[in-house]
Amino acid sequence: MNSAGRFRTLRARLAVWYGLGGLVLLAAFSLTLYFYVEKKIAQPLDFRLRRDLAEVQRRLSIGPHGTLQWDGGGFPGAETAKGPWFEVWDEHGKLVGRAWPFADSHVERVPSPPAPGRETLSIFSVAKDLRLRVLSIPYHGPGGAAWMLRILTLHEPATDALEELRWIMIFTLPTVALLPADAGYVITLRWIRPLETMAAEAALIGGRDLGRRLTVPESGDELERLARIFND
């Protein structure tokens, strides 16, 4: 490989390093921003779900015949729930009981059965103007049956910005990373140009032209020092 090819490779390597460095810095900044926004917006809702979950686990029980009881009495039922909103599903994906304050006429789509055996956090749109943030966890049914308990709360639209922010980060970070790479290539090109000139002039110096000297760049840096040392 000739010297010009090596210099071009050096430019490319430095440009890649500029791009990678910029990408790392931008990714670190974006992740910090994302987790800060998530903490300020989403965590209060999740804390509310966990608080309601603790209350439901404390007050909900299963009667001798598999009936749901609230504080040892009757189940709150639909449209009468004054406490936490929740659902109970059996091991067959059948709804055992639901306690929330919404009339059937207001609900266009009821939540689908939860995935059995694992904890999930999801969002359901049950009406045009009604979205619910939902926490589902395993729950011990009669005889140790694998039931599911689901806690519900109103979903705040502001939390949708988290998903939008995540996709913005995914699509824009690689593009933005090209900016420092391009800038690094241009800067490296300007920095190496005097070195290329020195290399071309040095190649012209032969046995019959030992008195030829390199052009000394007035840069005040290592390149100027290299040219002066070579000329001496």
Side-chain angles (χ1 to χ4, degrees), residues 89-102:
W89 298 76
D90 67 14
E91 68 273 24
H92 304 296
K94 180 181 177 181
L95 181 65
V96 179
R98 175 183 289 129
W100 65 3
F102 308 117

Side-chain angles (χ1 to χ4, degrees), residues 67 70 74 77 109 132 136 145 158 166 194 205 221 226:
T67 57
W70 187 252
R109 297 173 298 275
L132 301 178
S136 303
R166 185 184 301 118
I205 299 176
D221 56 15
L226 176 63

Side-chain angles (χ1 to χ4, degrees), residues 2-85:
N2 58 31
S3 60
R6 286 195 295 271
F7 288 138
R8 284 195 293 271
T9 302
L10 178 60
R11 293 177 201 151
R13 286 201 300 254
L14 290 174
V16 169
W17 279 110
Y18 275 113
L20 288 176
L23 180 61
V24 170
L25 291 175
L26 287 170
F29 172 77
S30 300
L31 288 174
T32 302
L33 177 63
Y34 176 82
F35 286 120
Y36 174 80
V37 174
E38 182 185 40
K39 182 177 180 180
K40 291 295 184 181
I41 295 179
Q43 282 193 356
L45 289 180
D46 295 341
F47 174 78
R48 186 188 309 165
L49 285 171
R50 297 288 177 180
R51 181 194 61 195
D52 290 349
L53 171 62
E55 182 177 352
V56 171
Q57 289 177 324
R58 185 178 71 253
R59 302 175 66 183
L60 180 66
S61 60
I62 301 177
H65 303 290
T67 57
L68 298 177
Q69 297 180 343
W70 187 252
D71 289 334
F75 187 71
E79 304 180 37
T80 60
K82 297 181 181 179
W85 307 344

Side-chain angles (χ1 to χ4, degrees), residues 137-175:
I137 67 164
Y139 187 72
H140 293 294
W147 286 15
M148 293 294 295
L149 174 62
R150 177 182 275 169
I151 310 299
L152 311 98
T153 190
L154 286 177
H155 176 71
E156 296 183 10
T159 58
D160 294 335
L162 289 174
E163 185 69 19
E164 297 174 3
L165 179 60
R166 185 184 301 118
W167 284 109
I168 289 173
M169 290 166 53
I170 292 173
F171 285 110
T172 60
L173 276 179
T175 304

